[in-house]
């Protein structure tokens, strides 16, 4: 087969201009033409979104300003929202927000409806925790579950009367009336589907709604918007922008672009303005096993480089080996920056955060928290509320305390609304209003100044001295005022009988994950924060969607990753798919191979000019054969190292 097959065709830079023109044809109130724009890697998705917004501004700015209407732009992350706000020059006609903030703005004030929703939900949550406790073992996780049960019952009692509710986007507020991230999405989806008045309010306020990164947006929310468009097609135009091949997280709508949405206008952006021809060609080949969408490289794009380095499992000096691989890439490409790990245009992608954790020193906290399916995605994004409490508040407070920086300490305590700065605490000693806060900070400094201190010890001193408000889920791990030991401790004989009566079952709840995580070293939080803030050459496969780099090295090592959501060994033919995976495939469900294929696409298409895949495998020969058979690699692109 000709080598030309492996290199993408090229097209003029304006090849996709017809897509932007087609989108603008939909942007008329009453058009009934809601749409979804599929935009693959490097296709200029944000550019198309900006063009649509500029078109609407020119058409409707004056009328909407007079009528009190706005154009909603819903994004997946705060960073994405900030980028769009900058691109539209902060024009007030655009309401740009994250999906959580948008949903909260819609349900805020529906206090009685929210109260009734919780009165239906909490009994189910309570039954789940009680079931876990019946089947679980005695220990810290059990103690935490018992506290969780107490708090759920307290909240049910609190909900017996009319209440008002708030939403803290940082997830730190732990009061009874504070809504969680997940609950905001669930309540919005339910209300938009069941309450006609809310649908009327939204379409009257937002005649145009755009949802960015729609493939990862919570599927219940997306489906609620589908229902809104169907019932109000003459009053609202909804535009989705995304790429199903870049769906990374589990909460997205898997049928987007397949069976959903129906009767919407579909646009495909065909260009890849980012990558060299060889890299675009590889992306096309990967997609041929999924949705078969193809992209073109830009006229004048360089050929670029792709190399596969195959290594057997059991390599002990991985850091040294991977450094040598980067040297080979420098020689192959003539690009000396391949060996410069400080270069912002060079990145090493790892399958799991735990691989970076082992290299950088935060593996214990990561391994513990990632055992919870409920929070795994949010810690991958650095967005888990409880972990953000430690990264964004406790860690800076500890640093300021160790430095005895009074100004910084007071700034953090004020911003985090420390209970010790409330009027009631300050009035305890009118001669020295800050006496309690000063005493608490001294106790805190004593704990965090130790070389080895656990998250639990730090949390306990914060709670004991009321230095900070503790997030609700972490409250389960500190003593409740007035609780008795008898309420928390199971009868040892009962525990023994329980273990003997049934096999041990892994507790996959958030409670069990945090029970384990809190026993690990607090010093990890600084290293985790540096990593999440991209102050390292290492990134994860999942964490670079939307980013681009001149040089990308992808490390694929299922053994070291230790995960179960992805399997490069199966994807590259070194292992047969599991029985469960095969059953899911036969039933038409999503498998680990589907997720791995999407991840392989995302990582491969981050590179602009050169790409190195480092594959640790149990069967080098089979992987080599599979790479050639799938037409992912030419023979001379594979190097057994």
């Amino acid at each position: 087969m000709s080598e030309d097959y492996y290199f993408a065709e090229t097209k003029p830079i304006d090849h996709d201009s017809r897509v932007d023109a087609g989108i603008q044809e939909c942007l008329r109130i009453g058009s009934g033409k809601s749409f979804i724009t599929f935009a693959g890697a490097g296709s200029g998705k944000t550019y198309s979104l900006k063009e649509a917004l500029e078109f609407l501004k020119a058409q409707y700015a004056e009328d909407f300003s007079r009528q009190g209407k706005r154009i909603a732009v819903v994004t997946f992350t705060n960073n994405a929202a900030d980028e769009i706000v900058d691109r539209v020059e902060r024009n007030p006609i655009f309401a740009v927000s994250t999906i959580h903030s948008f949903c909260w703005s819609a349900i805020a004030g529906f206090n009685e409806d929210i109260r009734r929703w919780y009165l239906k939900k909490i009994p189910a949550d309570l039954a789940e925790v009680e079931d876990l406790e019946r089947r679980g073992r005695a220990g810290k996780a059990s103690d935490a579950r018992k506290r969780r049960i107490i708090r759920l019952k307290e909240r049910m009692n609190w909900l017996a009367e009319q209440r008002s509710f708030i939403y803290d986007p940082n997830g730190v507020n732990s009061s009874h009336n504070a809504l969680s991230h997940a609950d905001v999405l669930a309540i919005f989806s339910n209300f938009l589907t069941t309450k006609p008045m809310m649908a009327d309010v939204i379409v009257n306020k937002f005649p145009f709604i755009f949802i960015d990164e729609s493939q990862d947006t919570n599927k219940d929310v997306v489906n609620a918007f589908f229902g809104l468009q169907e019932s109000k097609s003459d009053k609202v135009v909804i535009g989705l922008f995304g790429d199903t091949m870049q769906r990374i997280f589990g909460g997205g709508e898997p049928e987007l672009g397949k069976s959903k949405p129906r009767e919407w206008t579909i646009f495909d952006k065909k260009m890849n303005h980012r990558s060299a021809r060889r890299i675009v060609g590889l992306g096309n080949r990967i997609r041929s096993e999924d949705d078969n969408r193809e992209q073109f490289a830009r006229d004048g794009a360089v050929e670029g480089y792709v190399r596969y380095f195959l290594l057997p499992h059991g390599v002990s000096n991985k850091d040294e080996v991977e450094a040598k691989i980067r040297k080979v890439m420098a020689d192959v490409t003539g690009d000396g920056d391949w060996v410069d790990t400080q270069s912002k245009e060079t990145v090493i992608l790892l399958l799991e955060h735990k691989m970076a954790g082992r290299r950088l020193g935060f593996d214990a906290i990561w391994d513990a928290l990632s055992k919870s399916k409920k929070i795994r995605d949010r810690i991958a994004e650095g967005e888990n509320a409880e972990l953000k409490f430690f990264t964004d508040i406790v860690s800076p407070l500890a640093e300021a305390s160790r430095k005895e920086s009074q100004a910084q300490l007071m700034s953090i305590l004020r911003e985090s609304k420390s209970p010790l700065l409330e009027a009631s605490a300050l009035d305890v000693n009118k001669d020295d209003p800050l006496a309690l806060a000063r005493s608490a900070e001294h106790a805190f400094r004593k704990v965090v100044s130790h070389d080895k201190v656990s998250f639990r010890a730090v949390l306990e001193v914060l709670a004991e001295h009321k230095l900070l408000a503790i997030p609700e889920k972490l409250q389960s791990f500190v003593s409740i005022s007035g609780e008795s030991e008898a309420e928390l401790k199971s009868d040892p004989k009962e525990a023994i009988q329980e273990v003997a009566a049934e096999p041990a079952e892994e507790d996959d709840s958030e409670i069990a994950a945090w029970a384990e995580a809190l026993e690990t070293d607090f010093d990890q939080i600084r290293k985790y924060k540096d990593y999440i803030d991209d102050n390292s050459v290492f990134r994860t496969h999942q964490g670079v969607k939307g980013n681009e780099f001149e040089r990308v090295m992808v490390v694929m090592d299922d053994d070291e990753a230790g995960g179960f959501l992805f399997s490069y060994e199966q994807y590259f033919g070194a292992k047969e798919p599991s029985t469960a995976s095969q059953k899911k495939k036969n039933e038409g469900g999503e498998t680990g191979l589907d997720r791995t294929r999407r991840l392989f696409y995302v990582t491969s298409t981050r590179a602009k000019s050169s790409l190195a895949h480092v594959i640790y495998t149990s069967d080098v020969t089979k992987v080599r054969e599979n790479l050639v058979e799938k037409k992912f690699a030419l023979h001379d692109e594979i190097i057994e190292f």
Side-chain angles (χ1 to χ4, degrees), residues 75-96:
T75 69
F76 195 65
T77 64
N78 287 315
N79 288 340
D82 291 342
E83 180 183 354
I84 292 171
V85 166
D86 288 341
R87 292 206 181 198
V88 298
E89 300 176 344
R90 303 183 180 277
N91 191 299
I93 193 177
F94 302 115
V96 184

Side-chain angles (χ1 to χ4, degrees), residues 426-474:
L426 297 175
D427 288 344
V428 170
N429 187 346
K430 294 186 181 297
D431 293 333
D432 187 2
L434 293 177
L436 286 177
R438 192 161 50 250
S439 174
E441 188 271 322
H442 287 167
F444 176 69
R445 186 191 312 162
K446 184 177 180 181
V447 169
V448 299
S449 294
H450 288 296
D451 290 337
K452 292 287 186 180
V453 61
S454 69
F455 281 91
R456 182 183 294 278
V458 173
L459 188 65
E460 286 176 347
V461 74
L462 291 172
E464 178 185 352
H465 293 275
K466 299 181 180 179
L467 191 59
L468 294 174
I470 309 299
E472 181 181 7
K473 289 178 183 175
L474 293 179

Side-chain angles (χ1 to χ4, degrees), residues 605-625:
T605 55
R606 297 312 94 193
K608 297 180 186 178
S609 59
S610 54
L611 170 68
H613 285 302
V614 181
I615 305 173
Y616 293 92
T617 177
S618 59
D619 196 326
V620 169
T621 301
K622 282 188 177 180
V623 171
R624 171 185 277 277
E625 293 172 351

Side-chain angles (χ1 to χ4, degrees), residues 170-454:
N170 295 317
V172 173
N173 195 312
S174 58
S175 57
H176 282 313
N177 68 334
L179 273 63
S180 70
H181 296 302
D183 286 352
V184 166
L185 300 184
I187 293 169
F188 171 82
S189 303
N190 178 270
F191 286 8
L192 186 58
T193 304
T194 62
K195 299 184 182 303
M197 183 178 70
M198 177 171 287
D200 289 335
V201 168
I202 287 178
V203 298
N204 287 333
K205 186 175 183 179
F206 302 113
F208 298 95
I209 301 172
F210 296 119
I211 303 175
D212 193 21
E213 298 290 1
S214 55
Q215 76 280 352
D216 278 326
T217 302
N218 178 275
K219 62 183 178 182
D220 292 333
V221 173
V222 169
N223 284 314
F225 276 118
F226 290 163
L228 177 68
Q229 192 278 335
E230 185 175 358
S231 63
K232 305 288 183 180
S233 62
D234 59 331
K235 294 182 178 180
V236 67
V237 172
I238 302 175
L240 274 56
F241 293 81
D243 179 19
T244 52
M245 197 66 183
Q246 298 186 67
R247 180 167 61 88
I248 298 299
F249 302 109
E253 173 53 70
E255 295 302 312
L256 192 63
K258 296 177 181 177
S259 63
K260 297 179 180 180
R262 294 174 181 167
E263 299 180 359
W264 284 40
T265 303
I266 304 295
F267 298 107
D268 275 306
K269 300 202 74 176
K270 298 287 190 180
M271 293 297 294
N272 184 317
H273 299 280
R274 170 191 300 158
S275 300
R277 291 180 59 211
R278 177 65 186 97
I279 295 167
V280 179
L282 174 59
N284 290 341
R285 187 59 198 163
I286 298 169
R287 295 194 81 133
S288 71
E289 299 181 326
D290 191 272
D291 60 12
N292 215 29
R293 285 189 167 90
E294 289 193 3
Q295 288 185 303
F296 303 109
R298 289 171 61 163
D299 279 349
V302 299
E303 287 193 355
Y305 300 87
V306 173
R307 292 293 184 272
Y308 298 85
F309 296 86
L310 308 187
L311 301 97
H313 284 319
V315 174
S316 58
N317 56 336
K318 291 178 181 177
D319 290 344
E320 295 177 18
V321 169
E322 290 163 14
K324 290 178 181 177
I325 289 173
R326 293 195 297 276
K327 177 62 169 63
V328 171
M329 288 300 296
D331 293 339
V332 168
T333 63
D335 181 358
D337 281 348
W338 259 105
V339 297
D340 180 9
T341 56
Q342 300 304 310
S343 171
K344 294 297 184 183
E345 284 296 318
T346 302
V347 69
I348 302 172
L349 302 184
L350 305 169
L351 179 56
E352 290 281 359
H353 290 272
K354 67 189 300 180
M355 295 170 68
R358 288 182 184 130
R359 289 165 167 83
L360 298 176
F362 62 86
D363 50 318
I365 183 74
W366 179 263
D367 288 352
L369 291 179
S370 63
K371 292 178 181 177
S372 169
K373 295 177 183 177
K374 294 182 179 179
I375 61 175
R376 185 183 296 119
D377 289 346
R378 296 197 68 79
I379 54 177
E381 286 289 296
E383 293 295 331
N384 173 261
E386 292 72 42
L387 201 53
K388 280 177 70 69
F389 170 70
F390 284 112
T391 58
D392 296 0
I393 300 176
V394 182
S395 183
L397 187 69
E399 185 67 18
S401 183
R402 285 190 288 259
K403 292 180 179 178
E404 299 186 34
S405 174
Q406 298 303 317
Q408 190 176 0
L409 280 165
M410 288 303 297
S411 175
I412 295 171
L413 292 177
R414 287 193 189 98
E415 289 180 7
S416 58
K417 296 181 173 58
S418 168
L420 296 185
L421 298 185
E422 294 177 358
S424 58
L426 297 175
D427 288 344
V428 170
N429 187 346
K430 294 186 181 297
D431 293 333
D432 187 2
L434 293 177
L436 286 177
R438 192 161 50 250
S439 174
E441 188 271 322
H442 287 167
F444 176 69
R445 186 191 312 162
K446 184 177 180 181
V447 169
V448 299
S449 294
H450 288 296
D451 290 337
K452 292 287 186 180
V453 61
S454 69

Side-chain angles (χ1 to χ4, degrees), residues 26 41 585:
C26 299
K585 181 179 179 181

Side-chain angles (χ1 to χ4, degrees), residues 430-580:
K430 294 186 181 297
D431 293 333
D432 187 2
L434 293 177
L436 286 177
R438 192 161 50 250
S439 174
E441 188 271 322
H442 287 167
F444 176 69
R445 186 191 312 162
K446 184 177 180 181
V447 169
V448 299
S449 294
H450 288 296
D451 290 337
K452 292 287 186 180
V453 61
S454 69
F455 281 91
R456 182 183 294 278
V458 173
L459 188 65
E460 286 176 347
V461 74
L462 291 172
E464 178 185 352
H465 293 275
K466 299 181 180 179
L467 191 59
L468 294 174
I470 309 299
E472 181 181 7
K473 289 178 183 175
L474 293 179
Q475 288 179 12
S476 298
F477 298 95
V478 293
S479 297
I480 301 172
S481 178
E483 71 181 3
S484 67
E485 290 298 312
E487 288 179 303
L488 297 180
K489 290 187 176 179
S490 304
D491 186 329
K493 293 181 181 179
E494 290 181 4
I496 293 172
Q497 292 172 353
E498 176 185 9
V499 172
E502 61 182 16
E505 184 172 323
E506 183 180 356
D507 185 351
D508 194 36
S509 69
E510 294 174 271
I511 291 174
W514 271 108
E516 181 179 341
L518 289 174
E519 302 305 321
T520 66
D521 289 345
F522 176 70
D523 182 59
Q524 295 172 97
I525 201 65
R526 174 180 51 80
K527 301 167 184 176
Y528 168 79
K529 175 68 170 173
D530 285 344
Y531 171 67
I532 289 297
D533 288 345
D534 295 336
N535 296 324
S536 163
V537 70
F538 299 108
R539 312 284 176 88
T540 62
H541 289 37
Q542 299 94 323
V544 294
K545 185 179 64 176
N547 293 341
E548 57 186 44
F549 309 89
E550 285 292 338
R551 296 159 292 277
V552 173
M553 185 167 90
V554 187
V555 179
M556 305 175 187
D557 188 341
D558 289 354
D559 273 7
E560 185 182 0
F564 56 88
L565 291 176
F566 311 100
S567 176
Y568 281 111
E569 283 284 78
Q570 290 183 27
Y571 184 61
F572 291 131
K575 289 183 178 179
E576 293 296 321
S578 65
T579 302

Side-chain angles (χ1 to χ4, degrees), residues 23-61:
I23 290 173
Q24 292 173 13
E25 290 178 5
C26 299
L27 301 181
R28 177 173 51 81
I29 297 175
S31 72
K33 293 183 179 179
S34 288
F35 63 91
I36 177 168
T37 301
F38 289 104
S43 62
K45 169 179 63 73
T46 306
Y47 173 83
S48 290
L49 175 57
K50 180 178 180 295
E51 287 291 291
L53 296 177
E54 291 292 340
F55 176 82
L56 286 175
K57 182 174 70 173
Q59 296 291 317
Y60 295 104

